[in-house]
Amino acid sequence: MNNIAVPGKTGIEQGLQLCNNCGHFSVKKDNPLYCPNCESRISQRIHHSLQKTFAFLITATIFIIPANLYPITYFLKNNVLYPDSIFSGILSLIDSGMVSIAIIVFIASIIVPFFKILALAVIALCVHFQHNLSPQKQLWAFKLVEIIGKWSILDLFVISIMVAVFDKGQMLSVYPGFAATSFTIVVLTTLFAAHSFDTRLIWDLTLNHDQSKQ
Ligand SMILES: [Zn+2]
């Protein structure tokens, strides 16, 4: 290794790039495409990071509408289908006296997905429009989305519990509705959106601002 990474300066400034697979850093001009250590593809930033993040976020935004409006489950009782959306399910839980479960479902199924989409959209838009929002705050919000993202499947788990605890009669069948598929798409696309976003873009922005001031 000829170059030694200098702390406080970005890899791009120093002509270096980090391999995400083995953690080895190398000189960009000597190894433009592949990591010299593990020979996997290497680049200074995730390719088309913002475009991928926006594409996944737009998909999530589209599918969150049917996820909340359409029935997530159908209960078949005495040959009659009873549709339940997320919201009507929450109201039924409150009516049944299960307020604590209703609060969990409300947070996991409504608050969390909206928060994830909104937070990621704000961060990605700040990078896109080069808005000088505090990088620390953006990174903090992103970390929060990542932590919540790990628990995203909880939303679906809660719905399956909701299905299990519902008792509307002895002869009861439960079928998933269109909203269940939409909700799964929202969970997956928000996970992919966070995964596609290269947080180093936030810091590139401060670099660009510093250079424009000089
Ligand atoms: Zn490597």
Side-chain angles (χ1 to χ4, degrees):
M1 179 71 56
N2 297 323
N3 288 42
I4 294 172
V6 179
K9 280 185 151 189
T10 65
I12 285 182
E13 283 178 283
Q14 301 175 59
L16 301 173
Q17 56 189 353
L18 183 73
C19 173
N20 290 329
N21 292 315
C22 70
H24 185 94
F25 73 87
S26 56
V27 180
K28 170 79 177 167
K29 64 176 168 42
D30 295 342
N31 306 282
L33 292 176
Y34 297 95
C35 168
N37 194 41
C38 69
E39 297 184 351
S40 52
R41 290 280 292 192
I42 191 169
S43 61
Q44 286 179 315
R45 297 290 177 264
I46 296 173
H47 284 301
H48 308 301
S49 169
L50 265 188
Q51 288 94 326
K52 287 179 197 166
T53 304
F54 278 128
F56 285 125
L57 281 180
I58 290 167
T59 313
T61 309
I62 291 168
F63 277 93
I64 204 165
I65 299 165
N68 282 282
L69 293 183
Y70 282 83
I72 199 151
T73 48
Y74 289 97
F75 292 88
L76 181 67
K77 192 180 124 187
N78 300 332
N79 287 329
V80 180
L81 271 180
Y82 295 92
D84 250 328
S85 67
I86 292 177
F87 201 71
S88 71
I90 291 167
L91 293 179
S92 301
L93 281 169
I94 293 169
D95 284 345
S96 311
M98 291 183 274
V99 179
S100 52
I101 296 175
I103 292 169
I104 293 170
V105 174
F106 181 70
I107 292 170
S109 305
I110 294 180
I111 302 278
V112 166
F114 275 105
F115 169 77
K116 281 196 296 185
I117 293 173
L118 196 68
L120 280 172
V122 168
I123 297 167
L125 286 170
C126 277
V127 171
H128 180 70
F129 290 109
Q130 306 203 341
H131 192 277
N132 198 13
L133 191 73
S134 158
Q136 284 84 0
K137 281 181 187 162
Q138 288 184 64
L139 197 64
W140 181 84
F142 185 82
K143 293 275 177 202
L144 195 64
V145 169
E146 269 200 323
I147 293 166
I148 293 171
K150 289 175 185 166
W151 293 89
S152 289
I153 305 300
L154 179 73
D155 308 355
L156 295 167
F157 182 65
V158 165
I159 291 164
S160 58
I161 288 180
M162 193 172 84
V163 167
V165 297
F166 256 73
D167 183 19
K168 289 187 176 179
Q170 290 170 338
M171 298 295 288
L172 183 71
S173 299
V174 181
Y175 302 99
F178 177 61
T181 312
S182 306
F183 199 83
T184 309
I185 293 170
V186 172
V187 170
L188 291 177
T189 46
T190 48
L191 278 174
F192 292 152
H195 185 72
S196 309
F197 185 73
D198 195 328
T199 47
R200 291 170 294 188
L201 293 171
I202 297 171
W203 302 97
D204 289 348
L205 204 63
T206 58
L207 183 70
N208 293 339
H209 275 278
D210 291 345
Q211 283 176 346
S212 63
K213 280 179 195 167
Q214 287 169 6

